[in-house]
Amino acid sequence: MELPFAESYKIKMVENIRKSTGEEREQWIKTAKYNLFNLRSDQVFIDLLTDSGTGAMSDKQWSELMLGDESYAGASSYFKMKNAIQEILGFEYFLPTHQGRAAENVLFSALIKEGDIVPGNSHFDTTKGHIEYRRAKAVDCTIGEAFDTTVYHPFKGNLDLVKLKTVLKKYPAEQIPLIVVTVTCNSSGGQPVSMQNLKEVYEMAKKYGIRVIFDSARFAENAYFIKMREPGYAEKTIKEIVLEMFSYADGMTMSSKKDAIVNMGGFIALRDENLWKKASTFNIMFEGYITYGGMSGRDMNALAQGLYEGTEFDYLDTRIKQVAYLGQRLKDFGVPVQEPFGGHAIFVDAKRFLPGFPKEQFPAQTLAIELYLEAGVRSVEIGAILADRDPVTRENRYPDLEFLRLAIPRRTYTNNHMEYVAVALGNVYQRRNTILNGVKIVSEAPIMRHFTVELERINTMV
Ligand code: F0G
């Protein structure tokens, strides 16, 4: 018999979680203004809000905490991180930052000015926020297949080279400070970018004299998909694939809370010494001195160790197979999801889940509320609330894809938890015809409203 799949780790420490009653959840979600970010974590049984900073560190990472060097300047922890970045990602220069959006803030301060154009593949919301805050424009060049959840494409994170070329031809190079390639592409469903596409984008960028920066939060998951899906890579190690991926980038921003499996941390890595020097000034202003940039020495140590572990095949195989397990169980119940399954999350297609539901009533957010009420599972809307308003017209933006995201923390939950989530959402799917009314916005921030928005349920009787 073929041996079944099993996790590549065992558990040394546990954290209790608690179930609640339906009545309790009704009250809590109302008090939270129907925004799941406002829930207390002890009001949640299984927390799939995000895979960011929510993973379990290994025994080796915890050991590294004890070895942290907390010197202000030139700490050994800085050099440990520098070596890991050089060895695994191939970049000579780097700046630590406290998380991914801080890396964006520092790098974009050095690169982006008002009126600039930044093409990319469905920029993540903080990336877009940092671009638009500088009165520049993010142009989405993702391939069309990504926007149809019923179509199979092995690399739905790919950039459409025709769309990209149109942008590069339309604007002068001085107006395009960078192309952002997000690996994997979170906004389109945790979808990977193929090696061939990375190479072609880089070659095109070089032809036009433009730099390519990878938004690298889930670079290792991207490498896993290349190994499993792209011809010619099956025999290569993840570490070999990662090095080749980054050979097609001039630099990267990193949210280490994902594929470096730490609870906090980030960095910028670059090849260009001059750009590194320019960014260093902003790092000192916004984050901290260039050898710690908002991180403690112990956290830099854990991050360095996490980069080695996060690029091990067995770990990635366990991780991606767990996500796929949830995806498959949801499919078994008929729940419409983005396919192929993403690396870090299952993205439920809210438009297909609730056909005909008015987009102005935020179907994915409505589903997030229903799933919470059903079973205490916290998920997140990746739809119109997140897409925010157009910075110029102030009109609501309704993206092609309206997703409910179930993001899986790394090494945290078992497949029994996945089963629980699948049945919970399966139950919501069974009673989908009774979900007639959604929510309306009562109060929102002028930018990045997603996190703090206050909502009200629309009354059926009105
Ligand atoms: N880029 C991508 C692709 C991301 O997914 C995130 C964060 C960031 C940048 C920003 O990094 O959170 O460390 O400041 N994504 C989280 C999520 C928040 O839930 O998907 P950060």
Side-chain angles (χ1 to χ4, degrees), residues 382-415:
I382 306 272
I385 297 180
L386 177 71
D388 227 311
R389 291 177 187 274
D390 184 285
V392 180
T393 65
R394 302 304 300 156
E395 290 297 319
N396 273 317
R397 291 189 279 213
Y398 293 103
D400 292 335
L401 293 171
E402 175 79 15
F403 281 135
L404 172 78
R405 187 184 75 173
L406 303 163
I408 317 298
R410 292 164 182 76
R411 307 190 286 211
T412 303
Y413 291 113
T414 68
N415 281 9

Side-chain angles (χ1 to χ4, degrees), residues 6 10 12 22 34 38 66 83 119 126 146 187 200 202-203 213 222 343 351 353 361 377 409 423 446 452:
K10 56 183 179 174
K12 194 174 319 217
Y34 297 99
N38 287 337
M66 298 305 291
N83 288 343
T126 59
S187 310
E200 286 169 346
Y202 187 69
E203 283 167 359
I213 302 290
N222 200 94
K351 284 190 190 170
F353 197 116
Q361 295 188 18
V377 176
V423 171
T452 53

Side-chain angles (χ1 to χ4, degrees), residues 176-300:
I176 309 178
L178 73 158
I179 298 169
V180 179
V181 181
T182 307
V183 288
T184 59
C185 184
N186 188 0
S187 310
S188 69
Q191 299 293 318
V193 182
S194 71
M195 191 70 89
Q196 190 189 337
N197 194 250
L198 292 175
K199 185 167 183 247
E200 286 169 346
V201 167
Y202 187 69
E203 283 167 359
M204 187 183 289
K206 291 302 112 179
K207 217 176 108 193
Y208 287 85
I210 294 164
R211 66 173 70 72
V212 176
I213 302 290
F214 286 0
D215 175 355
S216 317
R218 302 177 181 87
F219 72 93
E221 291 170 6
N222 200 94
Y224 175 89
F225 285 123
I226 289 176
K227 182 177 169 76
M228 304 310 271
R229 294 183 188 163
E230 191 160 351
Y233 289 92
E235 300 305 320
K236 292 204 192 297
T237 64
I238 296 292
K239 288 187 170 64
E240 285 167 342
I241 295 171
V242 166
L243 271 179
E244 186 183 340
M245 279 170 57
F246 283 101
S247 74
Y248 305 125
D250 299 296
M252 62 182 284
T253 54
M254 177 72 185
S255 168
S256 306
K257 301 166 75 171
K258 283 85 167 175
D259 277 359
I261 332 177
V262 286
N263 303 117
M264 191 51 73
F267 58 89
I268 299 164
L270 297 165
R271 282 185 222 296
D272 176 353
E273 188 182 4
N274 285 330
L275 179 57
W276 172 77
K277 278 186 184 158
K278 201 171 166 198
S280 296
T281 307
F282 293 105
N283 216 55
I284 294 168
M285 280 202 299
F286 298 145
E287 290 295 295
Y289 181 61
I290 55 171
T291 64
Y292 74 86
M295 295 186 72
S296 51
R298 54 182 172 271
D299 286 341
M300 289 194 278

Side-chain angles (χ1 to χ4, degrees), residues 20 22 131-132 360:
S20 51
I131 293 168
E132 291 178 350
E360 297 78 12

